[in-house]
Amino acid sequence: MNNFSTPSVPKTTSAPETGCPVSPFTFHTSPFAGPSSASGATVRAVNDEFHGDLLEISLGPHHPSTHGVFRMNASLDGEIVTKLKPVFGYLHRNHEKLGETNSYLANVPYTDRLDYLASLTNNWAYVHAVEKLAGITPTERCEYLRVILGELGRIINHVCLVGFLLNDLGTSFTPLLYSLRERERMLDLLEELTGARMMYNFFRFGGLRTDVPADWLARLKHYLEGLFARYMDEQDALLTGNEILLARTQGTGILKPGLAISAGITGPGLRASGVDYDIRKVDKYSIYDRFDFRVPLGEHGDTYDRYMMRMLEMRESVKIILQAMRDLPDGPVNDPKAKSRGLRPKAGEAYGRIECPKGELGFYLISDGTPNPYRYRVRPPSFINLTVLEDMCVGGTLADAIITLGSIDIVLGEVDR
Amino acid sequence: MNPFTATIWFKSFADWAENLPVRIHDWILGLLPAWPWLHWLTTALLAIVLILTFYGLFFAMITVTERKGLGRFQNRPGPNRTGPFGLIQPFADAVKAICKEDIVPAAADKVLHFIAPCATVFFGLLTLAIIPAGRHFTALNLDAGLLYFFAAGAASELAIFMAGWSSHNKYSLLSAMRALAQLISFELPLLLVTVPVVMVAGTLSLPGIIAQQGAWTLGGLVPAWNFFTPWGFFGFIVFFIAALAETNRCPFDLPEGESEIIAGHLTEYSGFKYALFFMGEYFGMLALSGLGVTLFFGGWNAPCEFLQFIPSYCWFTIKLFMMMFMFIWIRATLLRLRIDQLMRLAWKLLVPLALINLVVVAFWLRTGDWAGPLQLVRWAVAILLELVPFILIGRHMSKGLGPRKYKYAQ
């Protein structure tokens, strides 16, 4: 994917015998799809005087709908996107190299900064990898609390996504503000638990930083069953069946399952294409095999399916949280023998992955027996899901490209690292 | 006398309030020497001052209503710091806009870049002049008033194109292209849907159209407005959708499209020019709302006979405000359409419906003398003629769309 990572200016060449500019976009080239786009739409192959030039336009890095400092160099034929190059790296913070100079424990707060809308699952994935590397088993109560927190993080992420996607669709902030209201309520609960609203730094090797306060779980349950359930029903009633939403999202930004698999797409975007792959079910990591939940699958792989995957997954997450609360055992959250500070795993390597809200988040760690990881590598779902953006956008209009990007669900902190 | 119409005192107060503007006008003219040209000039100037102050203040109040209304729709208070309930906010905004630096891009066509915001406001005000705002409040009473309205209104499209073209910005250019396509397409249903009103009233003059609607049925409780006929009801819906598109309002705010092309033609504008665009946009909305009120809601007529003691200009203002509130409400609620869907909506749905509306109104006029049970037949036929094509075309257009059932992995 190196060809995506450098800003490239499309070159225009002239054919001397006719004097007409020859399109540099005669064939759509993609590492995965070949000459036609994933949606099956073919783009214009002629660029004569009658059709005029293509308009090359740079969307971003400062653009309201690129969800951060992301840039798309698009070529437009009227409103139709004929070529689109994602350009990223504007938020590169040297995350992986930094991870090699820090101790294992000191990396936990850094992982918060990857996907800053769902920090809890980042913590979890990293801690999961280190536990695999060092052979630590978390306590029973800790596993349950991790599931509760992880699923709460998923809900927060999906609530944000739904709000921002609808904002990209042109609502004047109304659904976004309702979504953010729910997010605020959940952040208030998490703030009370962890002391932070976004950068929680809450997971520890073999446990959590602290146990939950006495009535915290009861209040979370009260919220999820009351106000949040109301929000979900309201959202479904007001927006999911909205004629304009259906017209805008159905049949746009289609991602074929074959392409999704070969490009390594994971998460709701993959499941919207109808591929049954959820690491919670595949790996059964932590204690996910003890809960009764279903994995929704889409059929068309379009923007509407990706939107609905999130809506349905939120309901499943609520079910998981309520089950975990019901079964939560007593006991210590942290194994007193587990060592966090000055952890020196034996030389070896481990890859820990979990199903984070955006897809498969994996950490690959190599230890050489020192307090710092020898190699620290992140497998970011946002970045890998973004690689098929061009295939999903070409052939659609500019407005479709914006909502397709919105439905992929990226966080630039994770894409650029 | 109608028992509801209160007392003699009430009646005299109503007359006094109704005629107050005329009295003020006569009083000012009485102060001046009796030269006809001076009287003509003073009357014209008074009308201009009245339009500028009335619609200028209305614009200011609508912006604050919009911001506070959107705030309430969105679960937040909206502006509430400047003055009581934030009412002085628009004036503070105006001061801020004037004080801001006016940035003109180096590559811009400076003349057009300057003319464009002025033109939007100018054409907006031109259209406002024709709207009868009260019994004695028609600044410009032309026999072909409706034609004048569309002639002046269509020119405001030019202003948006000028802005988009002269900014020398790709987003602005895209916006200009979108605006041209959109405004020209929606001009057609907007025009077609006013024709039935002209057919019924038999005049193009707006006061004449209002006079045709100035009656009441069912004991003075139901007004004889065009809205309360089958063709008027459907016509108004088409008119309102087209008016939303003509004024670039949500869900048709594609030329602005802040999530796609940032602010479109407004990208390269700052300071007071930016504010002028907003003023022009709101004047356009006010003009189209005023036209809608005039054509379908009886203009300045009271909704019930016994409510006539309230001056006509108050009724007009109330109706205008309600129309504007509809604009705000829709903005807070709906999503934006895509450009191809927008064009489809205009050419495949609104234009056919507007044409069918012509047939229906012809039938309606032809059967004006049907009475008794035939009256019911008349209504049923007219409603069916409108409704069936609407449902058929709508079904055809939304084919393949709908909520989906999702399966779960086992």
Side-chain angles (χ1 to χ4, degrees):
Chain A
M1 255 53 74
N2 274 338
N3 55 339
F4 283 156
S5 57
T6 48
S8 70
V9 182
K11 291 181 213 60
T12 336
T13 53
S14 305
E17 60 275 23
T18 59
C20 292
V22 171
S23 168
F25 314 112
T26 308
F27 293 108
H28 162 57
T29 52
S30 154
F32 309 114
S36 71
S37 69
S39 56
T42 47
V43 300
R44 188 179 97 187
V46 285
N47 191 24
D48 53 22
E49 275 174 344
F50 179 72
H51 288 91
D53 285 337
L54 298 177
L55 180 71
E56 284 154 23
I57 189 164
S58 166
L59 298 155
H62 297 294
H63 186 282
S65 301
T66 51
H67 299 237
V69 279
F70 175 65
R71 180 174 167 200
M72 297 187 280
N73 282 339
S75 294
L76 302 180
D77 178 10
E79 286 270 340
I80 309 290
V81 177
T82 58
K83 190 180 165 114
L84 187 137
K85 252 202 185 327
V87 182
F88 28 69
Y90 294 100
L91 201 63
H92 183 56
R93 290 158 303 171
N94 215 359
H95 183 88
E96 290 179 2
K97 192 68 193 164
L98 215 55
E100 293 166 16
T101 60
N102 283 331
S103 69
Y104 285 92
L105 181 62
N107 272 334
V108 177
Y110 278 99
T111 59
D112 285 333
R113 274 82 180 163
L114 279 175
D115 173 1
Y116 41 76
L117 289 181
S119 307
L120 287 162
T121 38
N122 299 349
N123 281 181
W124 193 358
Y126 174 67
V127 164
H128 184 58
V130 174
E131 280 163 2
K132 258 179 135 175
L133 185 67
I136 305 169
T137 317
T139 61
E140 192 77 342
R141 184 176 170 82
C142 158
E143 291 277 32
Y144 277 92
L145 287 177
R146 280 184 181 181
V147 168
I148 292 173
L149 290 172
E151 294 302 322
L152 190 60
R154 190 184 314 279
I155 293 173
I156 292 175
N157 180 78
H158 287 357
V159 160
C160 274
L161 172 102
V162 166
F164 282 112
L165 176 61
L166 287 164
N167 209 38
D168 290 349
L169 278 162
T171 52
S172 313
F173 285 99
T174 313
L176 174 64
L177 285 166
Y178 280 84
S179 299
L180 288 183
R181 177 189 67 187
E182 299 310 314
R183 176 171 178 259
E184 286 297 312
R185 286 173 177 155
M186 286 182 267
L187 290 194
D188 286 344
L189 283 168
L190 284 173
E191 183 183 16
E192 193 183 331
L193 177 63
T194 67
R197 290 176 71 80
M198 284 175 84
M199 307 296 155
Y200 305 113
N201 181 19
F202 196 62
F203 286 54
R204 291 290 178 270
F205 311 130
L208 296 170
R209 200 168 76 209
T210 55
D211 202 343
V212 293
D215 62 340
W216 190 83
L217 287 173
R219 267 181 292 141
L220 177 61
K221 185 175 180 191
H222 179 70
Y223 167 68
L224 288 176
E225 287 179 338
L227 288 172
F228 186 72
R230 212 181 111 192
Y231 161 78
M232 287 292 297
D233 293 342
E234 199 177 68
Q235 187 88 5
D236 268 342
L238 292 178
L239 284 162
T240 303
N242 183 298
E243 183 101 15
I244 303 180
L245 180 86
L246 298 176
R248 280 297 304 277
T249 54
Q250 293 197 344
T252 65
I254 291 174
L255 178 63
K256 291 266 161 58
L259 174 64
I261 293 171
S262 52
I265 310 299
T266 46
L270 177 68
R271 292 193 286 275
S273 298
V275 183
D276 175 18
Y277 183 75
D278 186 327
I279 298 171
R280 290 177 294 180
K281 291 281 192 195
V282 175
D283 274 13
K284 295 188 169 45
Y285 64 90
S286 189
I287 46 164
Y288 270 111
D289 49 347
R290 299 182 200 173
F291 301 115
D292 170 36
F293 69 100
R294 301 175 299 171
V295 178
L297 289 181
E299 211 174 316
H300 303 78
D302 54 10
T303 306
Y304 185 75
D305 275 354
R306 285 192 287 277
Y307 163 79
M308 281 308 289
M309 285 307 106
R310 270 81 181 206
M311 297 299 289
L312 297 172
E313 273 185 21
M314 276 196 271
R315 292 188 188 272
E316 297 301 317
S317 291
V318 172
K319 268 163 66 182
I320 297 174
I321 293 178
L322 295 180
Q323 288 172 47
M325 280 180 190
R326 186 193 60 203
D327 303 338
L328 183 69
D330 287 333
V333 165
N334 282 304
D335 185 357
K337 278 174 283 178
K339 192 178 169 191
S340 272
R341 210 172 284 267
L343 179 73
R344 286 165 182 266
K346 281 203 282 288
E349 58 181 61
Y351 177 68
R353 60 175 190 173
I354 67 162
E355 177 79 17
C356 94
K358 295 178 170 63
E360 172 186 339
L361 175 64
F363 282 83
Y364 176 58
L365 299 167
I366 302 180
S367 166
D368 55 358
T370 58
N372 306 336
Y374 174 76
R375 178 78 174 96
Y376 168 93
R377 159 83 185 145
V378 187
R379 189 252 184 236
S382 294
F383 175 64
I384 291 168
N385 292 354
L386 198 52
T387 51
V388 286
L389 180 65
E390 182 174 16
D391 302 85
M392 291 155 82
C393 292
V394 168
T397 63
L398 177 65
D400 287 341
I402 298 285
I403 58 167
T404 304
L405 175 70
S407 71
I408 291 176
D409 192 10
I410 56 161
V411 162
L412 266 293
E414 193 177 61
V415 174
D416 293 342
R417 304 191 297 293
Chain B
M1 186 170 179
N2 193 318
F4 292 107
T5 336
T7 56
I8 304 287
W9 181 86
F10 230 44
K11 184 85 179 141
S12 63
F13 167 77
D15 282 347
W16 178 81
E18 183 66 57
N19 291 320
L20 187 63
V22 181
R23 279 156 191 257
I24 294 174
H25 171 250
D26 292 347
W27 174 70
I28 292 174
L29 288 192
L31 297 177
L32 300 169
W35 303 328
W37 64 269
L38 187 64
H39 280 202
W40 175 84
L41 190 69
T42 316
T43 308
L45 279 176
L46 280 176
I48 290 170
V49 168
L50 202 66
I51 287 177
L52 283 175
T53 47
F54 175 74
Y55 289 108
L57 280 176
F58 206 94
F59 157 67
M61 284 303 114
I62 281 296
T63 51
V64 81
T65 313
E66 167 145 34
R67 290 181 61 181
K68 285 190 85 71
L70 275 183
R72 296 319 302 170
F73 279 117
Q74 297 171 353
N75 200 14
R76 59 189 172 85
N80 60 359
R81 298 289 111 177
T82 328
F85 311 107
L87 283 179
I88 309 178
Q89 187 69 41
F91 304 103
D93 285 346
V95 171
K96 188 201 78 170
I98 292 170
C99 296
K100 278 182 94 167
E101 186 188 353
D102 174 37
I103 300 164
V104 182
D109 184 331
K110 298 204 173 44
V111 179
L112 282 184
H113 193 264
F114 176 77
I115 294 176
C118 306
T120 43
V121 176
F122 176 70
F123 292 122
L125 285 172
L126 276 190
T127 48
L128 282 173
I130 198 78
I131 306 291
R135 202 185 295 273
H136 307 299
F137 264 106
T138 311
L140 190 60
N141 190 357
L142 295 180
D143 283 344
L146 201 59
L147 275 186
Y148 166 87
F149 183 92
F150 284 111
S156 64
E157 296 154 19
L158 196 64
I160 292 183
F161 185 68
M162 262 198 269
W165 184 263
S166 65
S167 295
H168 206 271
N169 177 316
K170 287 175 181 174
Y171 290 113
S172 304
L173 189 64
L174 269 176
S175 155
M177 296 306 167
R178 282 181 177 191
L180 267 193
Q182 171 177 341
L183 298 179
I184 290 174
S185 306
F186 278 89
E187 196 80 15
L188 196 61
L190 193 69
L191 261 167
L192 280 175
V193 91
T194 56
V195 176
V197 181
V198 176
M199 282 166 74
V200 170
T203 172
L204 279 168
S205 141
L206 295 183
I209 289 170
I210 291 175
Q212 175 257 321
Q213 303 176 65
W216 292 270
T217 53
L218 298 180
L221 289 176
V222 177
W225 297 347
N226 289 335
F227 182 73
F228 297 107
T229 57
W231 59 269
F233 180 77
F234 283 92
F236 174 71
I237 292 173
V238 174
F239 177 88
F240 192 73
I241 295 173
L244 280 174
E246 276 292 298
T247 50
N248 301 329
R249 289 287 290 192
C250 183
F252 308 110
D253 53 346
L254 282 107
E256 271 178 53
E258 75 279 356
S259 63
E260 294 153 21
I261 49 174
I262 309 180
H265 57 283
L266 302 174
T267 308
E268 298 291 359
Y269 280 93
S270 61
F272 200 64
K273 285 183 189 163
Y274 185 76
L276 280 183
F277 270 112
F278 269 87
M279 206 188 254
E281 185 190 321
Y282 277 87
F283 282 160
M285 280 159 64
L286 284 170
L288 274 168
S289 303
L291 187 70
V293 166
T294 306
L295 296 184
F296 297 101
F297 289 95
W300 38 258
N301 279 312
C304 301
E305 200 168 8
F306 67 90
L307 287 172
Q308 270 181 304
F309 65 89
I310 298 174
S312 57
Y313 46 86
C314 291
W315 280 120
F316 178 77
T317 313
I318 291 167
K319 288 178 190 173
L320 196 61
F321 180 82
M322 286 175 82
M323 286 283 282
M324 294 299 284
F325 187 75
M326 288 280 286
F327 277 87
I328 296 168
W329 190 357
I330 285 173
R331 179 172 173 204
T333 313
L334 285 183
L335 297 80
R336 188 183 306 123
L337 284 168
R338 209 168 54 206
I339 184 82
D340 55 323
Q341 293 163 347
L342 179 93
M343 303 301 271
R344 262 210 303 276
L345 183 74
W347 292 101
K348 286 194 176 170
L349 184 69
L350 296 188
V351 171
L353 285 185
L355 288 173
I356 288 162
N357 211 23
L358 285 179
V359 179
V360 174
V361 79
F363 166 78
W364 191 258
L365 287 174
R366 192 81 191 147
T367 57
D369 51 349
W370 288 11
L374 277 179
Q375 188 76 12
L376 281 178
V377 175
R378 184 190 184 211
W379 275 79
V381 170
I383 290 174
L384 277 179
L385 272 177
E386 296 272 12
L387 209 57
V388 170
F390 170 69
I391 291 173
L392 288 180
I393 301 174
R395 279 228 179 128
H396 174 73
M397 283 181 68
S398 61
K399 201 180 278 172
L401 298 178
R404 294 173 182 162
K405 281 254 176 280
Y406 286 90
K407 58 183 193 294
Y408 292 88
Q410 293 309 310

